[in-house]
Amino acid sequence: MIGPALLFLILPSQLLGDHGNHFGPYHWFSYRIDVNRDGLLNARELCSAITEELRNLRTRPVSDDTCKDFEEKFDMDGNNKIDPRELNSLYLKFHHLLSVFMQGDLDGYGLMKFGYFAEFALPRLGLSLNRMNQMILNTVKIGHGFSNLSLDKFMQLVLNI
């Protein structure tokens, strides 16, 4: 198993395309992804780009809801599409969140332990539970505690704070 520190060192080289793949934000505008060839990514195209990126990194996919959260957060002009300028910010945030998650204290199922999320991951992102909307936090509540977080749930929580 690759340790979190080693994964952090490997990830940037993968993003540079050392393995013959074309990684990077502008790869997300490829003809396979930007199906209508308008130079913008709609919600479906953005989700395809994110899914392909995670597949290339051998990571579990995220839900359509998470893709939509990225679109809503980074669509600055409100046209329901991501342009190249918006994509650059989205791509950097996506990989920052992915890096924070992968470096986390994960259980045997690849889920981030909730205690680690609250005590370490959120502060690394400049966030805290104090600022977290209680309704959002309640989505991971089980009994008297909280469930561990998948990559998908982690990204949804952080994007909606």
Side-chain angles (χ1 to χ4, degrees):
M1 181 171 165
I2 297 175
L6 185 55
L7 181 61
F8 184 67
L9 295 174
I10 292 172
L11 188 60
S13 67
Q14 288 177 327
L15 295 175
L16 293 174
D18 291 351
H19 304 297
N21 297 315
H22 301 284
F23 292 94
Y26 300 106
H27 166 66
W28 286 14
F29 284 112
S30 74
Y31 289 114
R32 283 190 329 224
I33 293 172
D34 184 14
V35 178
N36 62 4
R37 313 284 193 268
D38 65 353
L40 304 169
L41 298 180
N42 62 33
R44 182 176 297 274
E45 292 168 338
L46 178 62
C47 204
S48 294
I50 289 172
T51 298
E52 183 176 312
E53 188 85 3
L54 291 171
R55 186 178 320 123
N56 287 335
L57 295 171
R58 294 181 179 92
T59 304
R60 292 182 184 161
V62 295
S63 67
D64 289 348
D65 289 340
T66 300
C67 296
K68 187 69 178 161
D69 289 343
F70 272 105
E71 179 201 352
E72 289 171 0
K73 186 158 186 110
F74 290 92
D75 177 22
M76 297 303 165
D77 56 13
N79 67 351
N80 295 323
K81 295 186 177 192
I82 300 296
D83 65 38
R85 182 181 43 82
E86 294 164 337
L87 180 64
N88 196 43
S89 298
L90 184 154
Y91 186 85
L92 291 173
K93 181 69 167 188
F94 172 78
H95 278 283
H96 180 67
L97 293 177
L98 183 61
S99 176
V100 168
F101 182 85
M102 298 301 246
Q103 292 176 30
D105 186 9
L106 306 180
D107 67 10
Y109 300 100
L111 303 175
M112 179 180 281
K113 294 179 182 176
F114 187 83
Y116 181 88
F117 169 74
E119 293 178 40
F120 299 102
L122 285 178
R124 284 189 61 205
L125 296 168
L127 303 169
S128 71
L129 287 178
N130 302 355
R131 293 176 45 199
M132 220 174 179
N133 182 316
Q134 271 311 115
M135 285 178 33
I136 294 170
L137 189 56
N138 284 337
T139 65
V140 292
K141 194 164 188 126
I142 53 170
H144 296 337
F146 295 94
S147 63
N148 292 343
L149 305 173
S150 65
L151 174 62
D152 187 51
K153 189 53 120 174
F154 170 79
M155 287 192 174
Q156 283 181 11
L157 286 172
V158 171
L159 289 170
N160 286 294
I161 291 177

